[in-house]
């Protein structure tokens, strides 16, 4: 069983489906409101647990009802949450998700308690890191604990994976201990100090990221699949042909599956191919948590695609 330690986040997601993007100042009528658990670290931890990994999670929540919901969820999903810190006087992270008819979306987030995670919180988890096979982090935590997690993972000879989402400009030195970086195309541009719509080819962007000392860069491309770039060259992984319903959690599903299958001994290319399948499964379902497959659901879907 793959053991994964996540340095993550929890955000309660408030989702509404809208017919189109609004004009500035417009009040646009939507529908199908849903409130549910989210946050990239939390989503990825749940996705990995459902695929069969043994998961431990470091996260920070507030002292509100959303924190209660988070802890109840982790207990239900079998995630070790004794390092989920409930911080007094702050609110749990909140995400507002608008979903278009074709499944595309835009999200605004107030990270709340997530921003109070420190490197000391990570150092307090070193015993868990030693027992893990993989250390994984995202960018909904501050840069200091993310960098510390990658450094401790490397020091303890664990595979380190960083999903730099949501992207922000950071000191490239923090990537020195990252084995695999998994941005999407716009995140890759932002990490390089470029506008998110910069026209540079994605393979060139990934090559520049390698210069930060990374072992492998895997750029997720949505309907374009994924691109793997390392010192040995590049490999394109095609996407599945699907009718997307909600792509909100597809990237989290991809990242979790990538970690699980790497932990089970697959090569980077084979793990990424299987991760693309997991992302497609999630994109075909409305709601992130409801769209994260169990191992049986994943294997059945993968078999259907073959």
């Amino acid at each position: 069983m793959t053991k994964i330690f996540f340095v993550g986040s929890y955000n309660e997601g408030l989702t509404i489906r809208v017919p189109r993007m609004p004009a500035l100042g417009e009040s646009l009528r939507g529908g199908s409101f849903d409130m549910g658990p989210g946050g990239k670290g939390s989503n990825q931890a749940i996705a990995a647990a459902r695929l069969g990994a043994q998961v431990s999670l470091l996260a920070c929540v507030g002292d509100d009802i959303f924190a209660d919901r988070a802890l109840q969820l982790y207990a239900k999903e079998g995630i070790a949450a004794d390092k989920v810190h409930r911080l007094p006087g702050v609110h749990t992270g909140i995400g507002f998700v608008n979903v278009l008819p074709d499944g595309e979306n835009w999200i605004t987030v107030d990270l709340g308690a997530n921003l109070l995670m420190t490197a000391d919180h990570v150092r307090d988890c070193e015993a868990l890191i030693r027992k893990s096979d993989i250390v994984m982090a995202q960018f909904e935590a501050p840069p200091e604990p993310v960098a510390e997690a990658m450094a401790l993972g490397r020091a303890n000879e664990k595979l380190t994976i960083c999903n730099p989402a949501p992207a922000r400009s950071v000191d490239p030195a923090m990537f020195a201990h990252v084995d695999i970086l998994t941005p999407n195309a716009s995140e890759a541009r932002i990490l390089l100090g470029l506008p998110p719509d910069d026209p540079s080819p994605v393979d060139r962007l990934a090559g520049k990221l390698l210069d930060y000392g990374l072992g492998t860069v895997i750029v997720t491309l949505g309907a374009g699949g994924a691109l793997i770039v390392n010192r040995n060259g590049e490999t394109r992984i095609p996407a599945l042909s699907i009718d997307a319903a909600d792509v909100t959690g597809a990237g989290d599903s991809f990242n979790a599956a990538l970690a699980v299958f790497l932990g089970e001994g697959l090569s980077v290319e084979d793990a990424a191919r299987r991760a693309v399948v997991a992302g497609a499964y999630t994109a075909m379902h409305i709601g992130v948590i409801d769209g994260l497959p169990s191992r049986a659901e994943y294997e059945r879907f993968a078999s259907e695609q073959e």
Side-chain angles (χ1 to χ4, degrees), residues 134-137 143-162 171-181 212-216:
I134 297 171
V135 178
M136 194 160 187
E144 294 80 11
V146 172
E148 185 68 16
M150 297 293 97
L152 282 178
R154 177 66 62 79
N156 286 279
E157 300 181 330
K158 310 303 179 182
L159 179 68
T160 57
I161 303 174
C162 183
D171 182 353
M174 77 173 297
F175 297 128
H177 303 293
V178 176
D179 293 313
I180 301 175
L181 188 74
Y212 289 164
L214 295 156
T216 298

PDB file of all heavy atoms in Angstrom, residues 134-137 143-162 171-181 212-216:
ATOM      1  N   ILE A 134       5.828   8.872  -0.312  1.00  0.00           N
ATOM      2  CA  ILE A 134       5.734  10.069  -1.147  1.00  0.00           C
ATOM      3  C   ILE A 134       5.315  11.244  -0.275  1.00  0.00           C
ATOM      4  O   ILE A 134       4.456  11.119   0.605  1.00  0.00           O
ATOM      5  CB  ILE A 134       4.712   9.868  -2.281  1.00  0.00           C
ATOM      6  CG1 ILE A 134       5.175   8.747  -3.220  1.00  0.00           C
ATOM      7  CG2 ILE A 134       4.489  11.153  -3.074  1.00  0.00           C
ATOM      8  CD1 ILE A 134       4.143   8.324  -4.254  1.00  0.00           C
ATOM      9  N   VAL A 135       5.923  12.399  -0.525  1.00  0.00           N
ATOM     10  CA  VAL A 135       5.522  13.659   0.112  1.00  0.00           C
ATOM     11  C   VAL A 135       4.992  14.571  -0.983  1.00  0.00           C
ATOM     12  O   VAL A 135       5.662  14.783  -1.995  1.00  0.00           O
ATOM     13  CB  VAL A 135       6.693  14.332   0.850  1.00  0.00           C
ATOM     14  CG1 VAL A 135       6.257  15.665   1.454  1.00  0.00           C
ATOM     15  CG2 VAL A 135       7.234  13.402   1.939  1.00  0.00           C
ATOM     16  N   MET A 136       3.798  15.095  -0.771  1.00  0.00           N
ATOM     17  CA  MET A 136       3.134  15.863  -1.817  1.00  0.00           C
ATOM     18  C   MET A 136       2.590  17.163  -1.239  1.00  0.00           C
ATOM     19  O   MET A 136       2.070  17.201  -0.123  1.00  0.00           O
ATOM     20  CB  MET A 136       2.003  15.042  -2.430  1.00  0.00           C
ATOM     21  CG  MET A 136       1.463  15.595  -3.718  1.00  0.00           C
ATOM     22  SD  MET A 136       0.574  14.297  -4.627  1.00  0.00           S
ATOM     23  CE  MET A 136       0.243  15.152  -6.153  1.00  0.00           C
ATOM     24  N   ALA A 137       2.700  18.248  -2.010  1.00  0.00           N
ATOM     25  CA  ALA A 137       2.213  19.554  -1.553  1.00  0.00           C
ATOM     26  C   ALA A 137       1.646  20.332  -2.727  1.00  0.00           C
ATOM     27  O   ALA A 137       1.920  20.034  -3.894  1.00  0.00           O
ATOM     28  CB  ALA A 137       3.349  20.345  -0.897  1.00  0.00           C
ATOM     29  N   PRO A 143       4.432  29.426   1.114  1.00  0.00           N
ATOM     30  CA  PRO A 143       5.630  28.828   0.519  1.00  0.00           C
ATOM     31  C   PRO A 143       6.574  28.173   1.521  1.00  0.00           C
ATOM     32  O   PRO A 143       7.234  27.188   1.204  1.00  0.00           O
ATOM     33  CB  PRO A 143       6.303  30.006  -0.201  1.00  0.00           C
ATOM     34  CG  PRO A 143       5.674  31.243   0.356  1.00  0.00           C
ATOM     35  CD  PRO A 143       4.305  30.862   0.795  1.00  0.00           C
ATOM     36  N   GLU A 144       6.649  28.710   2.750  1.00  0.00           N
ATOM     37  CA  GLU A 144       7.598  28.162   3.735  1.00  0.00           C
ATOM     38  C   GLU A 144       7.292  26.704   4.090  1.00  0.00           C
ATOM     39  O   GLU A 144       8.205  25.851   4.035  1.00  0.00           O
ATOM     40  CB  GLU A 144       7.638  29.040   4.981  1.00  0.00           C
ATOM     41  CG  GLU A 144       8.206  30.427   4.764  1.00  0.00           C
ATOM     42  CD  GLU A 144       7.188  31.390   4.160  1.00  0.00           C
ATOM     43  OE1 GLU A 144       5.985  31.035   4.102  1.00  0.00           O
ATOM     44  OE2 GLU A 144       7.593  32.492   3.732  1.00  0.00           O
ATOM     45  N   PRO A 145       6.069  26.347   4.457  1.00  0.00           N
ATOM     46  CA  PRO A 145       5.820  24.934   4.747  1.00  0.00           C
ATOM     47  C   PRO A 145       5.912  24.037   3.519  1.00  0.00           C
ATOM     48  O   PRO A 145       6.308  22.869   3.640  1.00  0.00           O
ATOM     49  CB  PRO A 145       4.403  24.928   5.342  1.00  0.00           C
ATOM     50  CG  PRO A 145       3.792  26.216   4.944  1.00  0.00           C
ATOM     51  CD  PRO A 145       4.917  27.182   4.852  1.00  0.00           C
ATOM     52  N   VAL A 146       5.568  24.550   2.349  1.00  0.00           N
ATOM     53  CA  VAL A 146       5.715  23.748   1.133  1.00  0.00           C
ATOM     54  C   VAL A 146       7.191  23.428   0.904  1.00  0.00           C
ATOM     55  O   VAL A 146       7.565  22.276   0.659  1.00  0.00           O
ATOM     56  CB  VAL A 146       5.122  24.482  -0.081  1.00  0.00           C
ATOM     57  CG1 VAL A 146       5.448  23.726  -1.370  1.00  0.00           C
ATOM     58  CG2 VAL A 146       3.616  24.635   0.065  1.00  0.00           C
ATOM     59  N   ALA A 147       8.049  24.446   1.005  1.00  0.00           N
ATOM     60  CA  ALA A 147       9.485  24.231   0.811  1.00  0.00           C
ATOM     61  C   ALA A 147      10.049  23.287   1.870  1.00  0.00           C
ATOM     62  O   ALA A 147      10.878  22.412   1.567  1.00  0.00           O
ATOM     63  CB  ALA A 147      10.217  25.574   0.851  1.00  0.00           C
ATOM     64  N   GLU A 148       9.582  23.434   3.102  1.00  0.00           N
ATOM     65  CA  GLU A 148      10.065  22.569   4.189  1.00  0.00           C
ATOM     66  C   GLU A 148       9.649  21.120   3.952  1.00  0.00           C
ATOM     67  O   GLU A 148      10.425  20.190   4.186  1.00  0.00           O
ATOM     68  CB  GLU A 148       9.530  23.057   5.523  1.00  0.00           C
ATOM     69  CG  GLU A 148      10.071  22.307   6.738  1.00  0.00           C
ATOM     70  CD  GLU A 148      11.547  22.554   6.993  1.00  0.00           C
ATOM     71  OE1 GLU A 148      12.109  23.531   6.428  1.00  0.00           O
ATOM     72  OE2 GLU A 148      12.148  21.784   7.762  1.00  0.00           O
ATOM     73  N   ALA A 149       8.429  20.920   3.468  1.00  0.00           N
ATOM     74  CA  ALA A 149       7.959  19.564   3.192  1.00  0.00           C
ATOM     75  C   ALA A 149       8.803  18.904   2.107  1.00  0.00           C
ATOM     76  O   ALA A 149       9.179  17.725   2.215  1.00  0.00           O
ATOM     77  CB  ALA A 149       6.494  19.596   2.771  1.00  0.00           C
ATOM     78  N   MET A 150       9.102  19.654   1.051  1.00  0.00           N
ATOM     79  CA  MET A 150       9.918  19.104  -0.019  1.00  0.00           C
ATOM     80  C   MET A 150      11.332  18.804   0.488  1.00  0.00           C
ATOM     81  O   MET A 150      11.923  17.764   0.153  1.00  0.00           O
ATOM     82  CB  MET A 150       9.962  20.065  -1.199  1.00  0.00           C
ATOM     83  CG  MET A 150       8.613  20.330  -1.865  1.00  0.00           C
ATOM     84  SD  MET A 150       7.874  18.901  -2.717  1.00  0.00           S
ATOM     85  CE  MET A 150       6.729  18.300  -1.431  1.00  0.00           C
ATOM     86  N   ALA A 151      11.891  19.696   1.308  1.00  0.00           N
ATOM     87  CA  ALA A 151      13.242  19.492   1.831  1.00  0.00           C
ATOM     88  C   ALA A 151      13.299  18.276   2.759  1.00  0.00           C
ATOM     89  O   ALA A 151      14.227  17.458   2.678  1.00  0.00           O
ATOM     90  CB  ALA A 151      13.714  20.745   2.566  1.00  0.00           C
ATOM     91  N   LEU A 152      12.308  18.138   3.646  1.00  0.00           N
ATOM     92  CA  LEU A 152      12.301  16.990   4.556  1.00  0.00           C
ATOM     93  C   LEU A 152      12.038  15.694   3.798  1.00  0.00           C
ATOM     94  O   LEU A 152      12.587  14.640   4.147  1.00  0.00           O
ATOM     95  CB  LEU A 152      11.240  17.190   5.646  1.00  0.00           C
ATOM     96  CG  LEU A 152      11.611  18.134   6.788  1.00  0.00           C
ATOM     97  CD1 LEU A 152      10.449  18.265   7.766  1.00  0.00           C
ATOM     98  CD2 LEU A 152      12.862  17.648   7.508  1.00  0.00           C
ATOM     99  N   GLY A 153      11.201  15.773   2.780  1.00  0.00           N
ATOM    100  CA  GLY A 153      10.988  14.588   1.965  1.00  0.00           C
ATOM    101  C   GLY A 153      12.262  14.129   1.301  1.00  0.00           C
ATOM    102  O   GLY A 153      12.618  12.938   1.341  1.00  0.00           O
ATOM    103  N   ARG A 154      12.975  15.061   0.704  1.00  0.00           N
ATOM    104  CA  ARG A 154      14.241  14.723   0.049  1.00  0.00           C
ATOM    105  C   ARG A 154      15.264  14.221   1.075  1.00  0.00           C
ATOM    106  O   ARG A 154      15.969  13.227   0.810  1.00  0.00           O
ATOM    107  CB  ARG A 154      14.775  15.955  -0.678  1.00  0.00           C
ATOM    108  CG  ARG A 154      16.140  15.774  -1.350  1.00  0.00           C
ATOM    109  CD  ARG A 154      16.112  14.773  -2.500  1.00  0.00           C
ATOM    110  NE  ARG A 154      15.227  15.186  -3.580  1.00  0.00           N
ATOM    111  CZ  ARG A 154      15.549  16.099  -4.511  1.00  0.00           C
ATOM    112  NH1 ARG A 154      16.741  16.670  -4.488  1.00  0.00           N
ATOM    113  NH2 ARG A 154      14.690  16.401  -5.468  1.00  0.00           N
ATOM    114  N   ALA A 155      15.351  14.872   2.237  1.00  0.00           N
ATOM    115  CA  ALA A 155      16.308  14.462   3.259  1.00  0.00           C
ATOM    116  C   ALA A 155      16.042  13.042   3.741  1.00  0.00           C
ATOM    117  O   ALA A 155      16.974  12.324   4.135  1.00  0.00           O
ATOM    118  CB  ALA A 155      16.268  15.431   4.439  1.00  0.00           C
ATOM    119  N   ASN A 156      14.766  12.649   3.706  1.00  0.00           N
ATOM    120  CA  ASN A 156      14.400  11.300   4.141  1.00  0.00           C
ATOM    121  C   ASN A 156      14.246  10.336   2.975  1.00  0.00           C
ATOM    122  O   ASN A 156      13.682   9.259   3.122  1.00  0.00           O
ATOM    123  CB  ASN A 156      13.112  11.356   4.960  1.00  0.00           C
ATOM    124  CG  ASN A 156      13.327  11.918   6.358  1.00  0.00           C
ATOM    125  OD1 ASN A 156      13.767  11.207   7.250  1.00  0.00           O
ATOM    126  ND2 ASN A 156      13.034  13.200   6.540  1.00  0.00           N
ATOM    127  N   GLU A 157      14.745  10.741   1.796  1.00  0.00           N
ATOM    128  CA  GLU A 157      14.800   9.900   0.598  1.00  0.00           C
ATOM    129  C   GLU A 157      13.418   9.450   0.136  1.00  0.00           C
ATOM    130  O   GLU A 157      13.226   8.309  -0.292  1.00  0.00           O
ATOM    131  CB  GLU A 157      15.721   8.696   0.832  1.00  0.00           C
ATOM    132  CG  GLU A 157      17.150   9.109   1.166  1.00  0.00           C
ATOM    133  CD  GLU A 157      18.073   7.919   1.363  1.00  0.00           C
ATOM    134  OE1 GLU A 157      17.593   6.845   1.797  1.00  0.00           O
ATOM    135  OE2 GLU A 157      19.269   8.048   1.076  1.00  0.00           O
ATOM    136  N   LYS A 158      12.448  10.372   0.200  1.00  0.00           N
ATOM    137  CA  LYS A 158      11.104  10.109  -0.295  1.00  0.00           C
ATOM    138  C   LYS A 158      10.919  10.792  -1.644  1.00  0.00           C
ATOM    139  O   LYS A 158      11.568  11.782  -1.955  1.00  0.00           O
ATOM    140  CB  LYS A 158      10.051  10.632   0.695  1.00  0.00           C
ATOM    141  CG  LYS A 158      10.274  10.191   2.135  1.00  0.00           C
ATOM    142  CD  LYS A 158      10.317   8.663   2.265  1.00  0.00           C
ATOM    143  CE  LYS A 158      10.562   8.249   3.709  1.00  0.00           C
ATOM    144  NZ  LYS A 158      10.649   6.772   3.854  1.00  0.00           N
ATOM    145  N   LEU A 159      10.006  10.269  -2.452  1.00  0.00           N
ATOM    146  CA  LEU A 159       9.648  10.928  -3.688  1.00  0.00           C
ATOM    147  C   LEU A 159       8.858  12.184  -3.360  1.00  0.00           C
ATOM    148  O   LEU A 159       7.882  12.135  -2.597  1.00  0.00           O
ATOM    149  CB  LEU A 159       8.800  10.002  -4.555  1.00  0.00           C
ATOM    150  CG  LEU A 159       8.334  10.584  -5.894  1.00  0.00           C
ATOM    151  CD1 LEU A 159       9.517  10.782  -6.839  1.00  0.00           C
ATOM    152  CD2 LEU A 159       7.284   9.666  -6.529  1.00  0.00           C
ATOM    153  N   THR A 160       9.260  13.316  -3.910  1.00  0.00           N
ATOM    154  CA  THR A 160       8.590  14.582  -3.626  1.00  0.00           C
ATOM    155  C   THR A 160       7.875  15.086  -4.876  1.00  0.00           C
ATOM    156  O   THR A 160       8.455  15.149  -5.954  1.00  0.00           O
ATOM    157  CB  THR A 160       9.585  15.648  -3.136  1.00  0.00           C
ATOM    158  OG1 THR A 160      10.621  15.820  -4.106  1.00  0.00           O
ATOM    159  CG2 THR A 160      10.199  15.247  -1.807  1.00  0.00           C
ATOM    160  N   ILE A 161       6.592  15.431  -4.706  1.00  0.00           N
ATOM    161  CA  ILE A 161       5.762  15.920  -5.811  1.00  0.00           C
ATOM    162  C   ILE A 161       5.142  17.236  -5.379  1.00  0.00           C
ATOM    163  O   ILE A 161       4.564  17.334  -4.295  1.00  0.00           O
ATOM    164  CB  ILE A 161       4.650  14.920  -6.167  1.00  0.00           C
ATOM    165  CG1 ILE A 161       5.239  13.550  -6.509  1.00  0.00           C
ATOM    166  CG2 ILE A 161       3.821  15.438  -7.337  1.00  0.00           C
ATOM    167  CD1 ILE A 161       4.188  12.471  -6.743  1.00  0.00           C
ATOM    168  N   CYS A 162       5.247  18.246  -6.222  1.00  0.00           N
ATOM    169  CA  CYS A 162       4.660  19.550  -5.947  1.00  0.00           C
ATOM    170  C   CYS A 162       3.710  19.922  -7.068  1.00  0.00           C
ATOM    171  O   CYS A 162       4.099  19.963  -8.232  1.00  0.00           O
ATOM    172  CB  CYS A 162       5.747  20.613  -5.788  1.00  0.00           C
ATOM    173  SG  CYS A 162       5.101  22.254  -5.363  1.00  0.00           S
ATOM    174  N   ASP A 171      10.299  31.962  -5.157  1.00  0.00           N
ATOM    175  CA  ASP A 171      11.738  31.826  -5.320  1.00  0.00           C
ATOM    176  C   ASP A 171      12.019  30.455  -5.930  1.00  0.00           C
ATOM    177  O   ASP A 171      11.667  29.423  -5.339  1.00  0.00           O
ATOM    178  CB  ASP A 171      12.416  31.951  -3.950  1.00  0.00           C
ATOM    179  CG  ASP A 171      13.935  31.880  -4.036  1.00  0.00           C
ATOM    180  OD1 ASP A 171      14.474  31.606  -5.132  1.00  0.00           O
ATOM    181  OD2 ASP A 171      14.584  32.080  -2.987  1.00  0.00           O
ATOM    182  N   PRO A 172      12.625  30.393  -7.103  1.00  0.00           N
ATOM    183  CA  PRO A 172      12.888  29.091  -7.736  1.00  0.00           C
ATOM    184  C   PRO A 172      13.695  28.137  -6.868  1.00  0.00           C
ATOM    185  O   PRO A 172      13.658  26.922  -7.085  1.00  0.00           O
ATOM    186  CB  PRO A 172      13.664  29.470  -8.999  1.00  0.00           C
ATOM    187  CG  PRO A 172      13.267  30.878  -9.295  1.00  0.00           C
ATOM    188  CD  PRO A 172      13.071  31.515  -7.947  1.00  0.00           C
ATOM    189  N   ALA A 173      14.391  28.665  -5.865  1.00  0.00           N
ATOM    190  CA  ALA A 173      15.192  27.805  -4.995  1.00  0.00           C
ATOM    191  C   ALA A 173      14.327  26.775  -4.272  1.00  0.00           C
ATOM    192  O   ALA A 173      14.821  25.715  -3.870  1.00  0.00           O
ATOM    193  CB  ALA A 173      15.961  28.652  -3.987  1.00  0.00           C
ATOM    194  N   MET A 174      13.028  27.067  -4.114  1.00  0.00           N
ATOM    195  CA  MET A 174      12.174  26.126  -3.397  1.00  0.00           C
ATOM    196  C   MET A 174      11.974  24.829  -4.180  1.00  0.00           C
ATOM    197  O   MET A 174      11.560  23.815  -3.630  1.00  0.00           O
ATOM    198  CB  MET A 174      10.821  26.755  -3.069  1.00  0.00           C
ATOM    199  CG  MET A 174       9.844  26.852  -4.222  1.00  0.00           C
ATOM    200  SD  MET A 174       8.213  27.427  -3.668  1.00  0.00           S
ATOM    201  CE  MET A 174       7.720  26.095  -2.575  1.00  0.00           C
ATOM    202  N   PHE A 175      12.309  24.831  -5.484  1.00  0.00           N
ATOM    203  CA  PHE A 175      12.133  23.625  -6.294  1.00  0.00           C
ATOM    204  C   PHE A 175      13.344  22.704  -6.253  1.00  0.00           C
ATOM    205  O   PHE A 175      13.334  21.643  -6.879  1.00  0.00           O
ATOM    206  CB  PHE A 175      11.830  24.008  -7.739  1.00  0.00           C
ATOM    207  CG  PHE A 175      10.543  24.756  -7.907  1.00  0.00           C
ATOM    208  CD1 PHE A 175      10.519  25.967  -8.594  1.00  0.00           C
ATOM    209  CD2 PHE A 175       9.359  24.276  -7.381  1.00  0.00           C
ATOM    210  CE1 PHE A 175       9.334  26.668  -8.754  1.00  0.00           C
ATOM    211  CE2 PHE A 175       8.173  24.974  -7.527  1.00  0.00           C
ATOM    212  CZ  PHE A 175       8.157  26.166  -8.220  1.00  0.00           C
ATOM    213  N   ALA A 176      14.355  23.088  -5.509  1.00  0.00           N
ATOM    214  CA  ALA A 176      15.589  22.302  -5.487  1.00  0.00           C
ATOM    215  C   ALA A 176      15.368  20.885  -4.961  1.00  0.00           C
ATOM    216  O   ALA A 176      16.135  19.975  -5.280  1.00  0.00           O
ATOM    217  CB  ALA A 176      16.647  23.013  -4.651  1.00  0.00           C
ATOM    218  N   HIS A 177      14.332  20.710  -4.136  1.00  0.00           N
ATOM    219  CA  HIS A 177      14.083  19.397  -3.535  1.00  0.00           C
ATOM    220  C   HIS A 177      12.852  18.717  -4.117  1.00  0.00           C
ATOM    221  O   HIS A 177      12.347  17.751  -3.539  1.00  0.00           O
ATOM    222  CB  HIS A 177      13.920  19.544  -2.026  1.00  0.00           C
ATOM    223  CG  HIS A 177      15.102  20.182  -1.345  1.00  0.00           C
ATOM    224  ND1 HIS A 177      16.326  19.567  -1.279  1.00  0.00           N
ATOM    225  CD2 HIS A 177      15.250  21.384  -0.736  1.00  0.00           C
ATOM    226  CE1 HIS A 177      17.187  20.357  -0.638  1.00  0.00           C
ATOM    227  NE2 HIS A 177      16.558  21.463  -0.316  1.00  0.00           N
ATOM    228  N   VAL A 178      12.381  19.205  -5.269  1.00  0.00           N
ATOM    229  CA  VAL A 178      11.182  18.646  -5.895  1.00  0.00           C
ATOM    230  C   VAL A 178      11.587  17.656  -6.986  1.00  0.00           C
ATOM    231  O   VAL A 178      12.317  17.998  -7.909  1.00  0.00           O
ATOM    232  CB  VAL A 178      10.297  19.760  -6.490  1.00  0.00           C
ATOM    233  CG1 VAL A 178       9.100  19.161  -7.232  1.00  0.00           C
ATOM    234  CG2 VAL A 178       9.811  20.707  -5.389  1.00  0.00           C
ATOM    235  N   ASP A 179      11.081  16.439  -6.886  1.00  0.00           N
ATOM    236  CA  ASP A 179      11.344  15.442  -7.924  1.00  0.00           C
ATOM    237  C   ASP A 179      10.441  15.645  -9.132  1.00  0.00           C
ATOM    238  O   ASP A 179      10.891  15.554 -10.273  1.00  0.00           O
ATOM    239  CB  ASP A 179      11.139  14.026  -7.369  1.00  0.00           C
ATOM    240  CG  ASP A 179      12.174  13.655  -6.322  1.00  0.00           C
ATOM    241  OD1 ASP A 179      13.374  13.880  -6.575  1.00  0.00           O
ATOM    242  OD2 ASP A 179      11.790  13.155  -5.249  1.00  0.00           O
ATOM    243  N   ILE A 180       9.144  15.882  -8.873  1.00  0.00           N
ATOM    244  CA  ILE A 180       8.181  16.036  -9.962  1.00  0.00           C
ATOM    245  C   ILE A 180       7.321  17.270  -9.700  1.00  0.00           C
ATOM    246  O   ILE A 180       6.715  17.406  -8.627  1.00  0.00           O
ATOM    247  CB  ILE A 180       7.268  14.797 -10.084  1.00  0.00           C
ATOM    248  CG1 ILE A 180       8.107  13.543 -10.344  1.00  0.00           C
ATOM    249  CG2 ILE A 180       6.241  14.984 -11.197  1.00  0.00           C
ATOM    250  CD1 ILE A 180       7.294  12.259 -10.370  1.00  0.00           C
ATOM    251  N   LEU A 181       7.266  18.164 -10.673  1.00  0.00           N
ATOM    252  CA  LEU A 181       6.419  19.359 -10.618  1.00  0.00           C
ATOM    253  C   LEU A 181       5.279  19.164 -11.604  1.00  0.00           C
ATOM    254  O   LEU A 181       5.502  18.756 -12.745  1.00  0.00           O
ATOM    255  CB  LEU A 181       7.224  20.603 -10.978  1.00  0.00           C
ATOM    256  CG  LEU A 181       6.518  21.952 -10.788  1.00  0.00           C
ATOM    257  CD1 LEU A 181       6.423  22.300  -9.306  1.00  0.00           C
ATOM    258  CD2 LEU A 181       7.257  23.059 -11.549  1.00  0.00           C
ATOM    259  N   TYR A 212      15.308  24.984 -13.139  1.00  0.00           N
ATOM    260  CA  TYR A 212      15.245  25.283 -11.705  1.00  0.00           C
ATOM    261  C   TYR A 212      15.790  24.124 -10.863  1.00  0.00           C
ATOM    262  O   TYR A 212      15.797  24.206  -9.638  1.00  0.00           O
ATOM    263  CB  TYR A 212      13.804  25.567 -11.276  1.00  0.00           C
ATOM    264  CG  TYR A 212      13.244  26.885 -11.764  1.00  0.00           C
ATOM    265  CD1 TYR A 212      11.872  27.129 -11.740  1.00  0.00           C
ATOM    266  CD2 TYR A 212      14.070  27.907 -12.241  1.00  0.00           C
ATOM    267  CE1 TYR A 212      11.344  28.339 -12.172  1.00  0.00           C
ATOM    268  CE2 TYR A 212      13.558  29.106 -12.683  1.00  0.00           C
ATOM    269  CZ  TYR A 212      12.190  29.314 -12.645  1.00  0.00           C
ATOM    270  OH  TYR A 212      11.669  30.521 -13.078  1.00  0.00           O
ATOM    271  N   GLY A 213      16.201  23.048 -11.495  1.00  0.00           N
ATOM    272  CA  GLY A 213      16.755  21.911 -10.765  1.00  0.00           C
ATOM    273  C   GLY A 213      15.780  20.776 -10.562  1.00  0.00           C
ATOM    274  O   GLY A 213      16.057  19.845  -9.797  1.00  0.00           O
ATOM    275  N   LEU A 214      14.633  20.839 -11.238  1.00  0.00           N
ATOM    276  CA  LEU A 214      13.617  19.803 -11.102  1.00  0.00           C
ATOM    277  C   LEU A 214      14.030  18.524 -11.817  1.00  0.00           C
ATOM    278  O   LEU A 214      14.760  18.558 -12.813  1.00  0.00           O
ATOM    279  CB  LEU A 214      12.299  20.311 -11.685  1.00  0.00           C
ATOM    280  CG  LEU A 214      11.674  21.495 -10.946  1.00  0.00           C
ATOM    281  CD1 LEU A 214      10.757  22.282 -11.868  1.00  0.00           C
ATOM    282  CD2 LEU A 214      10.905  21.004  -9.726  1.00  0.00           C
ATOM    283  N   GLY A 215      13.525  17.385 -11.327  1.00  0.00           N
ATOM    284  CA  GLY A 215      13.798  16.134 -12.008  1.00  0.00           C
ATOM    285  C   GLY A 215      12.906  15.938 -13.218  1.00  0.00           C
ATOM    286  O   GLY A 215      13.367  15.586 -14.300  1.00  0.00           O
ATOM    287  N   THR A 216      11.604  16.169 -13.028  1.00  0.00           N
ATOM    288  CA  THR A 216      10.620  15.976 -14.088  1.00  0.00           C
ATOM    289  C   THR A 216       9.540  17.031 -13.965  1.00  0.00           C
ATOM    290  O   THR A 216       9.123  17.390 -12.860  1.00  0.00           O
ATOM    291  CB  THR A 216       9.966  14.572 -13.996  1.00  0.00           C
ATOM    292  OG1 THR A 216      10.971  13.573 -14.170  1.00  0.00           O
ATOM    293  CG2 THR A 216       8.886  14.390 -15.043  1.00  0.00           C
TER     294      THR A 216
END
